[in-house]
Amino acid sequence: MSGRFFSSLILVLSSFGLVGAHNSSGCRNVPGSMGFPSTAEWAALNTSVSGRLVAVVPTVKFCNSLPGGCTPQQFTSSVFLDEVPGSMNQVSSDYDSVPPSLCLPNSTTCEQGNVPLFGVLAESASDIQKGVTFARVHNLRLAVKASGHDYLGRSTAKSSLLISTHKLQSIQFTDDFRVGGKSKGSAVTVGSGVNLSTLYKATKLKGKIVVSGTAATVAAAGGYVQGGGHSALSPAFGLAADNTLELTVVLADGSVVTANEMENTDLFWAMRGGGAGSWGVIVSATFQTFPTFNASVSVGLIASNSTQVMGQVAAAHARHIFDWDPFHVGQYFFLVTSDFLQVPVPAKFVMAVQTYFPNTTTDVAEAALQPFFDEAKAAGAIVIVQTNETNINDALTSADDSVGSNTVLGSRLVPATAYKNSPTMFGDVYTQLLDGGATSILGHLVAGGKVAENANVPNAIHPKWRTAKVHLLLANGWDDSASIAQVHGNETHFMNTQLPLLEKLSGTDAASYSNEADVLERNFQDTFFGPNYAKLSAIKSKYDPSDLFIVGAGVGSERWDESGMCRI
């Protein structure tokens, strides 16, 4: 055990104290509990994982330990924060405790917040096994983090032990991946720490592409695939969960298992769409690959100072959304305030429309989009468009993501029937949302096409994905200077104010994509998982009978308090 770790361990444990009342049998052990591990037991864990146990601290405290601290750019860089065990891409402060436990830039105090106490920086399945077993034996709250790119706070937990899979960076290709002797064709197996930027570069070198997102540091084999995994390629190839061939997982009992269509088939079903963080720790995942190709990528900026005009633009978009079905396009259409995008457009509101046309020339792509852009111009909006042809791997690769903000989301899947039957309603709803102060209405055309065709693929994807056209979400945020009342107001704004408007499009019984959603959903069981929930709950009881893997709004979380510390 290194002297540096021992010093950090003593400092952390002494700050909480180890003398206290015994925890009730229904609660996890925390510092001060009789059952909380001793210094010697933590030291033994550190030895067993070859010194890879670290004291985890909030981002600001980590930066304060560096010569010169962190630059403003580092505080918002997902690539930089990905290397910091205690950093999450979004909120990790505890605004609910009394007093709040915060660690903010330029603050005179720095509390632990919802950041774990210690973390195993795993480099192997064995490291994960030892960490999971330690948490189970000592009845600790456990958190699992691949990249920390999570809006629901599921990759962090107060007073917990963290399992970080960031260092699992293996990438292996095969042209003949086999399950039970049956060929599944071309595939890639990736460690659960491999981010999308790295994966896209590796697949390009092999002349391949995988179904995945656009954020640089999302880990394909982490929470992304467990939630289902949407992509700009989904209309052409389906969701990531539809294209997952195998998972290697460390379970709550510490065993390592393979899950595919032949082995542990119920677990395989659950972990493809049944929600992130509820089942075990993914060591690696195997995904179907496809031959790479060129795509025409159109980027359009549609701007106006008028909420009425932007509503007309949204209605025009709804009327033309089926124009692009023959091309299996994926599209992101984000309506935000212009200061958010930081683009030189002389208007308050901007809809940024980025469309990916697989195997399509720029002339054809431009012709397909032109009727929509013409209608937007006719409504009085400024329209700027640029289209280029490029390799799809390059088009989806991002060098970095801008993160570190205080942001919460709420979302719904909008069915294709809403677009077919009520396109003008989209204009009304958008205008009402903007008039109500919405600053980010983020549309994702990532359904339809192959997503709908894959309705019979046996996985835990919410069935309403198969009839959806768009994943539509709203983002709400606050500055570090916000009061606690303002923070809580933002956290509840979607459910209390924006959802009733959004339901005019989605319907009141709509689904939501659990990876980009509101952790405060009142009926998350139905909204995130639908008719699959009872089966998911039974599978969880089989593989995780003590609920070691509990996350907010995850399967089984209704049995625990909001912190995941005590049964209710």
Side-chain angles (χ1 to χ4, degrees), residues 28-101:
R28 306 290 190 199
N29 285 316
V30 298
S33 302
M34 292 293 289
F36 193 76
S38 66
T39 301
E41 288 169 323
W42 284 110
L45 172 62
N46 185 50
T47 299
S48 73
V49 295
S50 304
R52 289 189 275 272
L53 181 69
V54 299
V56 181
V57 298
T59 304
V60 172
K61 183 175 282 190
F62 172 84
C63 287
N64 289 344
S65 71
L66 301 178
C70 292
T71 66
Q73 292 75 23
Q74 287 173 322
F75 271 117
T76 60
S77 166
S78 67
V79 171
F80 174 77
L81 296 180
D82 211 20
E83 301 296 329
V84 182
S87 289
M88 307 300 151
N89 282 185
Q90 303 301 331
V91 183
S92 58
S93 295
D94 178 7
Y95 290 95
D96 297 322
S97 64
V98 181
S101 182

Side-chain angles (χ1 to χ4, degrees), residues 81-135:
L81 296 180
D82 211 20
E83 301 296 329
V84 182
S87 289
M88 307 300 151
N89 282 185
Q90 303 301 331
V91 183
S92 58
S93 295
D94 178 7
Y95 290 95
D96 297 322
S97 64
V98 181
S101 182
L102 311 177
C103 187
L104 306 174
N106 303 316
S107 175
T108 56
T109 61
C110 187
E111 304 295 336
Q112 192 73 6
N114 287 326
V115 177
L117 295 177
F118 300 108
V120 175
L121 307 186
E123 295 185 11
S124 65
S126 176
D127 289 343
I128 297 172
Q129 289 177 282
K130 290 181 173 65
V132 167
T133 298
F134 188 85

Side-chain angles (χ1 to χ4, degrees), residues 524-539:
F524 74 86
Q525 296 95 328
D526 189 55
T527 304
F528 293 166
F529 309 110
N532 295 328
Y533 193 78
K535 181 177 178 180
L536 287 167
S537 185
I539 293 170

Side-chain angles (χ1 to χ4, degrees), residues 125 128-129 132 142-146 154 163-165 168 192 221-223 225-226 247-257 259 267-268 270-272 274-284 539-545 547-551 555:
I128 297 172
Q129 289 177 282
V132 167
L142 187 66
V144 181
K145 174 188 171 187
R154 297 171 300 183
I163 305 292
S164 168
T165 65
L168 301 183
S192 56
V225 67
Q226 294 176 72
L247 300 168
T248 301
V249 186
V250 175
L251 299 177
D253 65 3
S255 63
V256 181
V257 301
L267 182 66
F268 186 53
M271 294 190 72
R272 293 173 299 142
S278 298
W279 313 100
V281 184
I282 295 180
V283 179
S284 65
I539 293 170
K540 180 168 180 62
S541 295
K542 173 183 175 180
Y543 288 96
D544 184 17
D547 283 347
L548 184 63
F549 298 104
I550 287 293
V551 296
V555 175

Side-chain angles (χ1 to χ4, degrees), residues 349-543:
F349 303 106
V350 180
M351 180 183 281
V353 184
Q354 186 155 330
T355 314
Y356 300 81
F357 286 82
N359 295 305
T360 306
T361 66
T362 56
D363 288 344
V364 172
E366 288 170 348
L369 289 167
Q370 198 61 49
F372 163 54
F373 290 135
D374 285 346
E375 193 168 339
K377 286 181 183 178
I382 301 168
V383 179
I384 304 170
V385 185
Q386 183 176 12
T387 307
N388 295 294
E389 185 175 346
T390 186
N391 173 265
I392 189 61
N393 302 64
D394 294 336
L396 296 175
T397 301
S398 300
D400 201 353
D401 308 313
S402 180
V403 298
S405 61
N406 302 308
T407 303
V408 290
L409 304 180
S411 68
R412 284 297 182 267
L413 295 176
V414 182
T417 53
Y419 281 93
K420 290 177 180 177
N421 299 335
S422 307
T424 58
M425 181 62 73
F426 285 82
D428 296 339
V429 169
Y430 268 66
T431 295
Q432 291 177 66
L433 286 168
L434 293 174
D435 286 341
T439 59
S440 301
I441 309 173
L442 311 179
H444 300 68
L445 175 51
V446 291
K450 195 66 174 177
V451 176
E453 294 171 21
N454 283 346
N456 293 324
V457 171
N459 57 32
I461 292 295
H462 196 304
K464 290 188 177 179
W465 262 108
R466 307 307 184 183
T467 56
K469 189 65 176 173
V470 160
H471 161 51
L472 189 61
L473 64 87
L474 291 107
N476 293 290
W478 58 90
D479 295 330
D480 287 341
S481 60
S483 68
I484 301 303
Q486 289 171 325
V487 170
H488 289 158
N490 276 280
E491 289 177 329
T492 58
H493 187 55
F494 173 76
M495 293 298 297
N496 292 341
T497 305
Q498 295 174 328
L499 180 57
L501 293 173
L502 188 53
E503 286 180 334
K504 293 181 180 181
L505 305 177
S506 67
T508 57
D509 62 344
S512 175
Y513 174 52
S514 65
N515 278 350
E516 294 168 342
D518 190 344
V519 73
L520 301 178
E521 281 283 353
R522 299 183 183 100
N523 183 18
F524 74 86
Q525 296 95 328
D526 189 55
T527 304
F528 293 166
F529 309 110
N532 295 328
Y533 193 78
K535 181 177 178 180
L536 287 167
S537 185
I539 293 170
K540 180 168 180 62
S541 295
K542 173 183 175 180
Y543 288 96

